[in-house]
Amino acid sequence: MRKRVIRNLLSGALCVVLASFIILTPVFFISFRANAISELTNEMYDSINHIKPLAQMSLSFRTSKMDKLFNESMSQFSYFSNSNILFMDTYGNVIWANNISSVDTMKKYSQKALEAMGSNPNADLTGVFDDVYGEKTITVGEFLKNEAGENMWAVFCSKPLPTLMEQYKYVIYEILLIEIITLTFASMFMFLFSRSITRPLKNINNTLKEFAKGNFEKRVVYNQNNEIGELALNINQMADSISSLEKMRQDFVSDISHELRTPMT
């Protein structure tokens, strides 16, 4: 009996674990991906804020020395930050870019970015420059103002979308490990819990077998105040009633036998 109970409990627990794994894994992945993209976006905005002062000064006061400083600074920054940096004017003309294969292609997609930023400065530019850089990218951009406070230029910072597949595998492994640990402790708990159920049930079963043999003196020994205890009490009360009826039957048969053996006078 205990083996069947444990097997049923473990089957139920395994179904719960598998269902939670199937449901929680995509939820964790979506949350993990959104958090990674959010962190990357904030990092890229910080990068733009870092280079904006030099960029505004260099673009406002164009000298050979300033242009040289600007080119060297942007090249180093794009290299160490692993970013693609693009500067253009509000007409879509490319002023500076560290990675560009075709000016026409760059201008085509930059117009889309400028239009999006014109209607919403915080527009989502993810994927706008995918064809330019030949990979999935996430892009943020900001306008740069001249001394009169007018939008004269725009700077875009692009990075490859996070390659989450490897990180996704780690998330799956972590969730799976948690599920296995949970299932292990749940199995130990259910094993101990099943004993508290199967022991009194086995005692009740043995007692009922004795009743079937005609032994109504047997009683269930179980003193816990729960449903099984109530069942044991009812079985003992039933046994008392049957035992009393059996004694009455035996007394009745004995009296009848005695009367039949005694001659009538």
Side-chain angles (χ1 to χ4, degrees), residues 80-98:
F80 288 109
S81 64
N82 191 28
S83 307
N84 290 311
I85 306 296
L86 168 64
F87 288 91
M88 62 180 58
D89 60 25
T90 52
Y91 299 102
N93 299 311
V94 177
I95 299 174
W96 188 90
N98 68 296

Side-chain angles (χ1 to χ4, degrees), residues 37-56:
I37 292 177
S38 176
E39 289 183 357
L40 182 59
T41 301
N42 293 333
E43 178 184 328
M44 293 163 67
Y45 274 118
D46 290 340
S47 298
I48 289 179
N49 291 329
H50 184 74
I51 63 178
K52 272 175 65 175
L54 175 61
Q56 285 179 313

Side-chain angles (χ1 to χ4, degrees), residues 11 19 34 44 77 88 113 122 127 148 165 169 183 193 223 232 235:
S11 298
M44 293 163 67
F77 184 83
M88 62 180 58
N122 297 318
M165 202 56 209
K169 290 180 182 178
L183 183 60
F193 177 71
N223 299 320
I235 290 175

